[in-house]
Amino acid sequence: MFDLDRWLKRLWAVNGVLLLALLVLGTGTLVIGWASGLFARDQAVVAPDSTPHGAATPRAVRFSSPRRIWGTTTRLVIVYYGKRPQTGPGLGSMELSSYSGEDAGPTVNLLFLGPDGAPGRVLFDRPAYVARFDYPETKSDSLEPWITYRVALEDTNGDGRLDSDDHAALWVSDVDGTNLRRVLPAGMRLLNAAAAGDGRHLVVTALEVPAGWRGSDDELRQRAFLYDVRAGTTVPYPALDSLVQRAARIVGQP
């Protein structure tokens, strides 16, 4: 004879186990998210402490082994803001090598070593979050005799630290770290940059941000620029801009 009471008790028991499992899983997800937030915060770059006299308190940083820059006698050293040194050969070879120090802490600076004990150079003289940098590593990179950097130097979201949530600007230097200069003018927010392939120019795209803008980025106009690395000049790229405007009109047609 079918025992309805026993069947209902078993059903409630199964439901209880499932509910407990869901509670445990949800709690675990919250704990992992909280811990990840703490880790991300620890990986952020913050301004160093200062004494009343304005002298900065040094922080224990980590750095990579010197890396060869193609076609030069200069060696590049990556400085990390973290506790673990990088022990491997890097992130592998690319046409233009790109390094991000998240495994050993964010990249906060770069050092350039001259040949035979010649004086070296520290690239940035202020706290920085280096989201990415590209430099010539192999012969195939010889058409790009410069180094590009995507760097956040300002706390644009006001959270008291420099990290991937802040707007990065595009900078360029010579391969020995000299002649560091910012590419885009004020009011432009970097989107992308790539070598033009002529050994002289970068094609840069950016959003045009009006002063005091509080709206959505989707409403901002995207612009294209040509940056002359040798001359250090940034000019509009009208050929690309005109094609983009034509494409926009096509999309806007009914």
Side-chain angles (χ1 to χ4, degrees):
M1 181 177 178
F2 179 71
D3 191 338
L4 180 61
D5 289 339
R6 179 178 297 180
W7 183 85
L8 290 174
K9 289 179 180 179
R10 290 180 178 177
L11 179 62
W12 280 109
V14 171
N15 288 339
V17 171
L18 291 175
L19 180 60
L20 179 61
L22 289 174
L23 288 174
V24 172
L25 181 61
T27 303
T29 302
L30 289 174
V31 170
I32 292 173
W34 173 76
S36 299
L38 289 181
F39 177 77
R41 191 176 190 86
D42 183 61
Q43 293 296 297
V45 182
V46 295
D49 295 331
S50 298
T51 68
H53 301 289
T57 302
R59 176 186 171 90
V61 295
R62 299 294 180 261
F63 55 91
S64 72
S65 57
R67 306 176 187 278
R68 179 174 180 266
I69 300 177
W70 175 261
T72 76
T73 55
T74 302
R75 297 295 183 269
L76 182 70
V77 177
I78 310 166
V79 179
Y80 302 103
Y81 186 89
K83 299 179 180 179
R84 292 179 295 160
Q86 186 184 43
T87 56
L91 300 182
S93 297
M94 300 171 60
E95 187 171 345
L96 280 177
S97 294
S98 304
Y99 292 96
S100 175
E102 294 297 335
D103 290 339
T107 299
V108 296
N109 219 322
L110 295 109
L111 312 178
F112 294 84
L113 301 177
D116 302 325
R121 173 180 301 276
V122 178
L123 185 64
F124 294 106
D125 60 0
R126 55 183 292 190
Y129 176 87
V130 184
R132 175 188 175 100
F133 65 95
D134 302 312
Y135 72 95
E137 186 185 20
T138 67
K139 186 177 181 180
S140 62
D141 306 328
S142 59
L143 288 180
E144 288 83 41
W146 57 71
I147 304 177
T148 60
Y149 315 85
R150 299 188 186 199
V151 187
L153 294 174
E154 300 177 0
D155 179 19
T156 57
N157 63 359
D159 63 358
R161 59 188 191 269
L162 301 176
D163 55 25
S164 58
D165 292 331
D166 295 305
H167 299 312
L170 183 65
W171 293 73
V172 173
S173 78
D174 295 345
V175 289
D176 60 356
T178 60
N179 197 22
L180 180 67
R181 61 272 193 196
R182 184 168 176 166
V183 172
L184 289 171
M188 305 304 302
R189 185 181 302 167
L190 174 68
L191 289 178
N192 200 5
D198 59 1
R200 178 157 185 158
H201 293 92
L202 293 172
V203 179
V204 185
T205 58
L207 296 178
E208 190 171 18
V209 185
W213 176 256
R214 294 293 183 270
S216 170
D217 286 0
D218 294 338
E219 303 174 34
L220 296 174
R221 179 188 177 192
Q222 182 174 345
R223 298 288 310 280
F225 298 90
L226 277 177
Y227 179 70
D228 189 322
V229 180
R230 297 180 188 175
T233 56
T234 303
V235 297
Y237 193 175
L240 179 54
D241 271 341
S242 62
L243 292 175
V244 169
Q245 292 174 13
R246 181 179 176 186
R249 287 193 296 269
I250 294 173
V251 174
Q253 292 177 353

